Amino acid sequence: MNLFSTLHRFTVVPSLPKELSGLQRIAYNLWWTWEPEAIRLFKRLDPELWRATRHNPLEMLGCLQQATYDSLMLDEGFMSHLAQVEERLDEYLASHTWYERHGTPRARIAYFSMEFGLHESLPIYSGGLGILAGDHLKSASDLGLPLVGVGLLYRQGYFRQHLNLEGWQQEIYPENDFYNLPLHLERDGAGEPLTLELEYPGRNVRVQVWRVQVGRLRLYLLDSNLEENTPADREITTRLYGGDQEMRIRQEILLGIGGIRALRLLGVEPNVCHMNEGHAAFLALERVRILMEERSLNFQEAMEAVRGGNVFTTHTPVEAGIDHFPPELLERYLGCYYRHLGLTREQFLTLGMQNHGRSNENFCMAVLAMKLSLHSNGVSELHGMVSRRMWADVWPDLPEEQLPLTYVTNGVHQKSWLSEEMSGLLTRYLGTRWLEQSDDSLWRKVSRIPDAELWRTHRRGTERLVDYARLSLKAQLQKLDAGAKEIDRASDVLDPEILTIGFARRFATYKRGTLLLHDKERLERILNHPERPVQIVFAGKAHPADHQGKELIRQIVQLAQQEGFRRRIIFLEDYDISVARRLVQGVDIWLNTPLRPQEASGTSGMKAAFNGGLNMSILDGWWCEGYRGNNGWAIGRGEVYDDLAYQNEVESRAIYDLLEKEIVPLFYNRGSDGVPRGWTAFMKASMQTLCPVFSTDRMVQEYARRCYLPAFENWERLNRDDLRLAVELARWKERLHGVWGGLSIVAVQAECDREVTVGQKVPISVQITPGEVPLTEIAVEVYFGVLDSRGAIMGGEVVPLDPATEPDKVGHFGGELECRFCGRHGFLLRVMPRHPELGTVYDPGLILWG
């Protein structure tokens, strides 16, 4: 007999007196994670238990004894503090928001991501992508967007990192106890868990839905760990980024298709869906399927309606970092699904291919997302340029700078990353509006902060970092059964008074975590200078399968054990949000050394900037936009070399030169009061130029204005009148594809001499033979600009030409080109479809160049 077949289950929850029930209410809303008074309230319950539970208030409440609750109720100060925090939460939820003034209540946005990094107590994230998603939700809540999040609830999440004596990374996967996390299991009207089914090869998989409250909005997380599923299917939501390609496609079907079905089951029908990376791209197919079934449309008609309401963000400038699936795997998992959509195998595979003529091309999730989204973007200006180059084949008929792939530069949720001291300092001198507005004029008031006050506020963060690093190192050594003498020596590692460099991130090889160690002798001289010493704090995880990344960590740990470096270098194990918070609040310099242009954006340096830290970085990702010359340091000028060894040599020397000649002297050049006024001038310039720009408040407002609201308007326009316009658009494109080949350019004439003076206007006239394409349905444009050394137009502009007043069989169009710059110029003519309601429309194959 299987004893577990008759196992009876029940859930034990904290038994809080009515007077303390507010603690549970606050704990279940992750608003507390960015409200200092709420954090202080929970810490006040039991500081040691707060640390032991990894800052998880629910787990802590479950551990407290009734006697503790009785004493709390008699503590007038605590009860007053609780009432104050509850009142703040009520005020937050009821206050008027930015979106109420600038948005529309009819928009309903769903934000899909494979991971969400909201707080260390909810470990369902691995790194930058997840933390960006978490910060996105927090700012969307602050700004009042009508947005829900959708993700997966991992039983083990990402791994916990431990280092052995030799410095090799070890991975362990502790189980997440969902009933001690800020989660609610969604239930139906009868009180039973709300579940849905997904079709996988040869079976159905049942999924349940959990809810996390993030301020004003909800995050829904899908969980396949149900007894009625097979052991293999229960594993789908076990680990983030675990397993092989087959596990990944199972997870992405669950996220995309399952996520849409879960929202509908909950009565949430989004009209805008934002895919944070290509992991969720299958959601676009599910939205198409629903429209096909409910409105009796074919695939093309439904796709036109859906595409208008989809937004896609890509986060990697390297195609190898994107999910690609072989056709046979897609056939096994989605063969029945795509046939149900009325697609052939070739038609379906083409949706995920840049160039469907390549026989060996796998199905790319990012390409699927781009083809089924009206708005696509990278996450920094440089990444937008790199992405257009990388994905040029998706839009084969358009020049690179005209591709419909823009950028929205990342930001950080400032309230989540600021130290209490720095937040208080800013409020004293800037007022409170800086917490709600990304306003340059507000941040210029940083200049009013006395240098000594700014300096000492930041030093307190450094002191806390050093204390934490020493305690962490002792704990690491104790776990490894190190000797008492070695453990005791951890007390003299680092010094809160000296220049502190931080380097913490995922240990992928392109991030070059050991570039700073390139010349160990020179580095040792810098670190141990008798009058101007320097210290470095490292942290980060390598993917379990990335042996090269693990080797980089091992090299750093072993160097830190050598006598010449022991007191000046430390590697903190198990990098997470909690460790990151301490680092960005305490370091003086945030070091970033990726191989350009492989850092799409990066956000950790932004967090340091809010806390008064200065950036020293390769000109890659966000730093290309942030660097001003007086607010941090650039390593090189953005050069890219073919020889990696040579590049490492050049850029490591540049780091040492910056440290020796600029950074270290500036830090140690003190006034009579011990304050380095040159350094604080850099701190102020950094905060004034970076803080108003690189916040998720600015980022989410930009997404709302440029992506969400236009996508909603497109969705509404295409879906009104029983989807009349979407159906017309699909049929119109189909008709044009049949007759476009009969279109031809008869003549192009530019009325100018060989040389044209600046400011002169050049008349252009064009004759078109439209064939069976109505002249009213074509747009004739000139693509015009300066030529590069290869004779190609660079940074071209599009100039529309007007039709003649009396059209005939040969269409006459004309206009003028204004020559605003000196140099060699050129132009190309292009003819594109013009829809009577939507204007100029691009569709692959429907463009004629001449």
Side-chain angles (χ1 to χ4, degrees), residues 693-757:
V693 179
F694 297 101
S695 74
T696 41
D697 283 0
R698 184 274 312 157
M699 182 192 82
V700 172
Q701 287 175 10
E702 203 170 331
Y703 273 115
R705 290 193 183 105
R706 290 177 46 197
C707 303
Y708 297 157
L709 292 176
F712 164 70
E713 290 165 6
N714 275 308
W715 169 267
E716 200 170 52
R717 188 186 312 147
L718 290 163
N719 281 265
R720 69 168 61 107
D721 301 329
D722 203 27
L723 288 102
R724 174 194 62 81
L725 187 54
V727 172
E728 283 184 9
L729 180 60
R731 294 175 182 174
W732 179 74
K733 285 184 179 180
E734 185 180 10
R735 174 172 58 81
L736 284 183
H737 275 288
V739 298
W740 195 258
L743 188 72
S744 63
I745 299 169
V746 177
V748 181
Q749 186 173 357
E751 299 176 20
C752 67
D753 299 323
R754 286 184 177 274
E755 292 187 351
V756 176
T757 58

Side-chain angles (χ1 to χ4, degrees), residues 403-420:
L403 299 183
L405 204 168
T406 60
Y407 73 94
V408 176
T409 302
N410 282 344
V412 299
H413 186 251
Q414 57 201 35
K415 300 171 206 171
S416 293
W417 299 101
L418 264 175
S419 71
E420 282 189 51

